[in-house]
Amino acid sequence: MTRQAHDLPERLLAGDRRALAKAITLIESTRPADRAAAEALLTTILPATGKAIRIGLSGTPGAGKSTFIEAFGQYLTGLGRRVAVLAVDPSSRRSGGSILGDKTRMEQLSRNPAAFIRPSPSSGELGGVARRTRETILAVEAAGFDTVLVETVGVGQSETAVADMTDLFALIHAPGGGDELQGVKRGIMELADIVIVNKADGDLLPAARRSAADLQAALHLMRPKHPGWTVPVLQVSALAPRGIEQVWTAVEAFQATLGPAGLAAARRDQARAWMWSDVRDGLLQAFSDDPEISKAAQTLERDVATGKLPPPQAAQQLLRLFRKA
Ligand code: GDP
């Protein structure tokens, strides 16, 4: 297999899906040669990126994320948009690909020529999965997708990572009693730009109304994330589907409120944070790859655990070793 076809950037920029799949394979690879090829590719395509609206979407398992993305994606392609669906799920290997691992979760969208669905990179911890997803966003944008949906499960740190790589973060809830609402982590609610109460249909309609009112009340008590933007709570039925268009209307209203300058400023901050996050990852990697440091670290860990050495002093010793290496 030729690992790095020379016409890959041109084919990617022309919207060739096989080229896109290949580019993402390079991006997700951990082989040093592939990493170098992926970085070269990203540098070449960079001018053609950044034109999509990037939307993060999170909710607990069963809230209806995939059903909603299916309906929302179909609605958006109906408007003539091209939709890429990506996922950040660092636990996907453990749970056997719980998220987007199975394309039948979005049956129509996965067969839709104006849509592209990519499961979460399955290996590694959150930092690595998030980094590869950020790069994949650039690849799908270069291939001409103008709407990027990044899905994540409503557990752990992954919401923050997704909110940091998207323009807008939507939280999707299933109707539930007060108890469930208490389980909604405040920190995650604070990330939300749009809140969606799904399953507002049939017997669940009254519960959906109550949940929407409770969520609205909870949001009122929170510090606004963006001045001038009031987080809407939208009731939809992804299954029907019903109310899907109001989500897109809210996305457009959000864009209009922030304006091109506001959105661009947020992306500049994200780009800077991404660079430093890669520096931190790279430094830690270099640190743990160094056999001399690993050996010393074992002894030093023991020494700080038993109180023989203050942790700051042990850290300084390791850093001195690293600088000499
Ligand atoms: P995910 O785990 O968040 O991706 O949730 P799914 O999209 O797989 O949906 C979980 C369950 O909720 C499935 O049985 C869906 O059929 C159901 N569901 C999803 N959306 C709706 C909806 O709008 N109304 C109703 N009544 N059920 C829904």
Side-chain angles (χ1 to χ4, degrees):
M1 188 177 86
T2 50
R3 191 155 286 286
Q4 191 193 357
H6 286 300
D7 60 352
L8 188 58
E10 292 88 80
R11 282 169 47 221
L12 180 63
L13 293 167
D16 177 338
R17 296 175 82 97
R18 284 180 54 193
L20 176 57
K22 187 165 187 174
I24 298 176
T25 304
L26 276 183
I27 286 168
E28 290 180 356
S29 169
T30 49
R31 293 167 53 129
D34 288 346
R35 280 306 311 153
E39 276 159 28
L41 177 68
L42 291 171
T43 307
T44 311
I45 64 170
L46 196 63
T49 66
K51 297 186 184 80
I53 170 91
R54 304 167 181 170
I55 302 172
L57 185 80
S58 179
T60 48
K65 291 180 297 298
S66 57
T67 312
F68 174 78
I69 291 172
E70 167 100 334
F72 193 48
Q74 290 291 94
Y75 172 77
L76 293 175
T77 59
L79 294 181
R81 302 190 71 91
R82 302 192 64 218
V83 179
V85 181
L86 312 177
V88 169
D89 181 10
S91 67
S92 62
R93 192 166 40 178
R94 224 182 327 133
S95 55
S98 65
I99 189 169
L100 286 179
D102 182 2
K103 280 196 182 178
T104 59
R105 287 176 76 219
M106 297 166 200
E107 218 175 305
Q108 292 177 37
L109 201 61
S110 63
R111 283 188 271 110
N112 185 331
F116 178 85
I117 300 180
R118 182 79 184 187
S120 177
S122 59
S123 64
E125 82 310 343
L126 177 62
V129 172
R131 195 199 70 218
R132 290 191 285 276
T133 307
R134 282 195 207 101
E135 294 181 1
T136 302
I137 291 175
L138 300 180
V140 297
E141 287 179 344
F145 289 91
D146 57 20
T147 314
V148 185
L149 304 179
V150 186
E151 178 190 5
T152 191
V153 281
V155 286
Q157 298 290 306
S158 58
E159 278 93 353
T160 312
V162 170
D164 284 347
M165 65 176 84
T166 50
D167 302 315
L168 177 154
F169 190 70
L171 262 184
I172 184 160
H173 286 275
D179 284 354
E180 197 196 325
L181 196 58
Q182 282 171 15
V184 178
K185 290 181 213 82
R186 190 190 166 86
I188 291 170
M189 280 288 280
E190 279 175 348
L191 296 174
D193 299 303
I194 291 178
V195 172
I196 298 165
V197 178
N198 188 32
K199 310 193 188 186
D201 52 41
D203 293 348
L204 290 169
L205 198 53
R209 290 211 179 104
R210 272 197 306 277
S211 289
D214 290 352
L215 287 162
Q216 194 85 71
L219 283 164
H220 275 312
L221 302 174
M222 286 182 191
R223 182 168 36 93
K225 185 174 160 194
H226 297 286
W229 175 250
T230 308
V231 177
V233 179
L234 309 170
Q235 297 175 49
V236 312
S237 170
L239 204 58
R242 204 165 40 241
I244 302 300
E245 66 290 341
Q246 61 173 335
V247 177
W248 181 242
T249 304
V251 170
E252 290 186 315
F254 177 82
Q255 281 181 298
T257 301
L258 263 70
L263 289 166
R267 286 208 182 165
R268 280 197 297 274
D269 288 347
Q270 290 178 343
R272 275 192 288 265
W274 179 5
M275 180 186 85
W276 286 113
S277 147
D278 269 25
V279 168
R280 272 190 298 275
D281 288 353
L283 280 173
L284 274 177
Q285 192 64 46
F287 219 81
S288 59
D289 285 350
D290 187 309
E292 204 189 336
I293 290 177
S294 299
K295 206 163 134 242
Q298 276 179 15
T299 316
L300 289 166
E301 268 194 10
R302 210 172 34 238
D303 289 352
V304 297
T306 54
K308 232 168 104 183
L309 205 62
Q313 200 179 328
Q316 284 309 324
Q317 283 191 27
L318 284 175
L319 288 168
R320 265 199 299 277
L321 263 179
F322 185 65
R323 285 193 202 100
K324 270 194 274 165

